[in-house]
Amino acid sequence: MSLENFLIVAAIIFAIGLYGAITKNNAITVLMSIELMFNAVNISAVAMSRYIVPASISQDPAAADLAVQFLLTGQVFTIFIITVAAAEVALGLAIVLSIFRQRASIFVSDAAELKN
């Protein structure tokens, strides 16, 4: 597979997640859509790290020492994104449970009424 294939798959997954986050009214579905968008970013970060860095090493052998430092950049960003996503899910589910206990509903529109 080439870099373009990975980026196309990531773009499709991101678009599905964006559509779900914008159009759905259920809070859990919105959280799942945000997770899809995070996973699309993870796919593109790892694919870029896999295909871009080795290509730059092969073109300029003098810069090989510098490029080795950037070899795992996509994987490191992916670990950070997974960590943030886990914290987001824990916090999001706590908020959803709190709203469900007060309103007996998990719709986003009911959460907007809590401001009043």
Side-chain angles (χ1 to χ4, degrees):
M1 290 188 73
S2 65
L3 176 62
E4 291 83 15
N5 293 340
F6 284 112
L7 293 180
I8 289 170
V9 169
I12 291 170
I13 293 173
F14 190 86
I16 292 170
L18 185 63
Y19 175 77
I22 291 173
T23 60
K24 299 299 178 185
N25 199 17
N26 189 339
I28 294 178
T29 307
V30 172
L31 287 174
M32 288 173 38
S33 299
I34 292 171
E35 289 297 319
L36 275 176
M37 294 190 311
F38 279 148
N39 287 330
V41 171
N42 288 340
I43 290 171
S44 62
V46 171
M48 292 274 191
S49 177
R50 165 67 176 90
Y51 286 100
I52 301 276
V53 173
S56 63
I57 292 173
S58 64
Q59 290 176 357
D60 188 13
D65 293 333
L66 181 63
V68 169
Q69 296 174 357
F70 299 110
L71 196 57
L72 296 176
T73 305
Q75 286 83 350
V76 171
F77 278 131
T78 299
I79 295 297
F80 284 125
I81 291 171
I82 290 171
T83 305
V84 169
E88 178 255 337
V89 165
L91 184 62
L93 285 177
I95 292 170
V96 168
L97 284 175
S98 175
I99 292 170
F100 182 74
R101 286 181 182 161
Q102 290 180 355
R103 299 283 180 158
S105 173
I106 56 172
F107 292 121
V108 178
S109 58
D110 292 340
E113 293 174 359
L114 290 175
K115 292 187 283 187
N116 298 333

